Amino acid sequence: MVITKDKLQHILDEMPEKMDIEEVFDKILLSAKIEQALLESQQGLGQDWNDFKSEWLKEDL
């Protein structure tokens, strides 16, 4: 996964002056995963939404 300096700076700018380092890492990782998922979706690599819903609704909770 890759994240740009601009995206990283935006994440840091939105955070309070003091924070837990794990929270910083979590937000960076989540942002990178979202960017990766969006890229894969644009390339048609994701699962069809209706297929996903059908599978998810069939699972025992």
Side-chain angles (χ1 to χ4, degrees):
M1 275 180 274
V2 176
I3 190 168
T4 65
K5 286 183 183 180
D6 289 339
K7 186 66 175 174
L8 183 56
Q9 187 63 51
H10 176 72
I11 292 168
L12 293 174
D13 288 344
E14 296 295 316
M15 298 188 89
E17 287 297 316
K18 291 185 178 186
M19 71 217 97
D20 184 39
I21 191 70
E22 289 180 13
E23 183 180 348
V24 175
F25 290 142
D26 288 345
K27 287 189 183 266
I28 293 169
L29 185 57
L30 178 61
S31 180
K33 285 181 178 183
I34 290 171
E35 291 293 324
Q36 181 68 31
L38 289 172
L39 179 62
E40 289 175 7
S41 177
Q42 290 171 351
Q43 295 173 349
L45 300 175
Q47 184 177 14
D48 180 70
W49 174 245
N50 290 322
D51 291 343
F52 170 78
K53 283 194 310 187
S54 295
E55 283 181 32
W56 189 77
L57 291 172
K58 289 179 185 176
E59 289 185 14
D60 294 330
L61 301 177

